[in-house]
Amino acid sequence: MSIKLLALDVDDTLVSDIVTISDANQAAIARAQKAGIYVTIATGRGYLGSNHVWRTLKIEGPVINYGGAIVTDTRTNQLIHATEVPNELVQEILGIAEKENVYAQIYQGDTIVTESDDAIARNYTRALSLPLVIDPMIRKKVWENVPKVLFIAEHERAEELIPKMQAHFAGRLKVSGSKAGFVEFNHLCAHKGAALQWLAERLGIARHEVAAMGDNSLDLEMLEWAGIGAAVGNATEKVKGIADLIVPACVEDGVAWFINNHMLK
């Protein structure tokens, strides 16, 4: 199979911490790029929150952010594709967060907006070097251009909330898990699979020429749509179940293994 486009999830697929891309993964990605393959990222992170990754990988062109809600061209920093969560659903999510006593944040561009000054917000924005706005009136305002809403909780709590929220918002929102403890809310049509399809068509690349790698439920549609979907060894059982190929874990440089032993063998 000749692959022309490779989409990589970031957290727990490409990197095992916030920013460190292993030498092996960097070298393999550079090798793929040199072979003419367009390598991009498809992440739940925003554009600014993922900028260290795409800059390190020297990605010049579209990258997929916010779980597929946004595609931005790194050459111009221009938004080229976007979906948003309607305000009425933003407010419904925030109301549930209050009821469930779970931390929630919305996004305005790369700015994080949350209701109160919380250690979770401080730690999250500090780790990714993102601007933070504390807005006690968040549930009384009309919000536009919100690419996603995020809950952050203990891992076990998040795992309980995901199916509960999926049932509650069935047919209205896309609810997924990404990094451990994260519950992601996107527009129903906004997911990595749809964004990857949009990007492939824009680049003139056929579905069977696309590969994708991931680890969590935010990656499911992307792995299903791609010509070949690879799950790292640390992926959830559901992701492994739909993957065409299971590769070594993130900490074992599964990305490098896939490129070197499958794509460019």
Side-chain angles (χ1 to χ4, degrees):
M1 179 182 294
S2 177
I3 298 299
K4 296 181 179 179
L5 168 60
L6 171 62
L8 301 171
D9 170 55
V10 173
D11 293 294
D12 300 317
T13 297
L14 177 63
V15 302
S16 56
D17 59 17
I18 298 296
V19 296
T20 308
I21 305 172
S22 72
D23 291 343
N25 282 344
Q26 286 192 53
I29 290 167
R31 183 177 173 226
Q33 291 168 326
K34 187 175 181 180
I37 297 167
Y38 185 72
V39 181
T40 192
I41 56 171
T43 176
R45 298 189 194 186
Y47 185 62
L48 180 60
S50 63
N51 85 96
H52 173 79
V53 177
W54 53 259
R55 289 184 189 280
T56 299
L57 298 180
K58 297 180 174 59
I59 297 174
E60 296 184 358
V63 291
I64 298 169
N65 295 105
Y66 292 124
I70 284 177
V71 182
T72 306
D73 193 321
T74 67
R75 296 166 296 188
T76 61
N77 295 320
Q78 294 299 306
L79 193 69
I80 55 176
H81 178 69
T83 58
E84 63 179 277
V85 180
N87 178 68
E88 60 270 21
L89 291 177
V90 171
Q91 294 302 340
E92 186 174 346
I93 297 166
L94 294 175
I96 290 173
E98 182 186 37
K99 181 180 178 181
E100 295 282 351
N101 192 29
V102 62
Y103 170 83
Q105 63 187 34
I106 69 171
Y107 296 76
Q108 290 288 276
D110 288 304
T111 298
I112 306 303
V113 184
T114 190
E115 189 168 15
S116 57
D117 195 350
D118 191 292
I120 296 176
R122 296 291 177 185
N123 292 336
Y124 181 94
T125 53
R126 186 182 304 115
L128 295 175
S129 301
L130 299 176
L132 172 65
V133 171
I134 309 298
D135 190 347
M137 301 297 290
I138 190 174
R139 288 188 290 119
K140 298 186 182 299
K141 292 183 176 180
V142 175
W143 296 99
E144 297 180 344
N145 302 316
V146 176
K148 78 170 184 178
V149 182
L150 178 67
F151 285 178
I152 302 179
E154 293 294 328
H155 178 62
E156 294 77 11
R157 176 77 168 127
E159 291 300 301
E160 293 173 0
L161 283 168
I162 290 169
K164 184 176 181 179
M165 294 299 100
Q166 287 173 334
H168 180 84
F169 288 106
R172 296 190 294 153
L173 282 174
K174 175 79 168 58
V175 182
S176 311
S178 54
K179 193 173 176 63
F182 286 17
V183 185
E184 314 248 355
F185 299 84
N186 287 100
H187 186 283
L188 192 62
C189 297
H191 52 74
K192 293 183 182 182
L196 183 58
Q197 180 179 358
W198 182 90
L199 177 56
E201 290 173 354
R202 181 183 177 91
L203 296 176
I205 295 173
R207 182 176 182 177
H208 69 272
E209 298 172 317
V210 179
M213 295 187 67
D215 74 293
N216 215 318
S217 61
L218 196 64
D219 306 314
L220 282 169
E221 291 87 355
M222 176 172 74
L223 268 62
E224 288 178 321
W225 185 83
I228 181 165
V232 286
N234 53 285
T236 66
E237 291 307 311
K238 189 171 184 179
V239 171
K240 288 180 179 178
I242 62 95
D244 300 299
L245 182 68
I246 299 174
V247 304
C250 174
V251 295
E252 298 171 333
D253 299 326
V255 169
W257 188 95
F258 178 69
I259 293 171
N260 293 329
N261 294 278
H262 192 81
M263 288 177 53
L264 299 180
K265 186 176 180 180

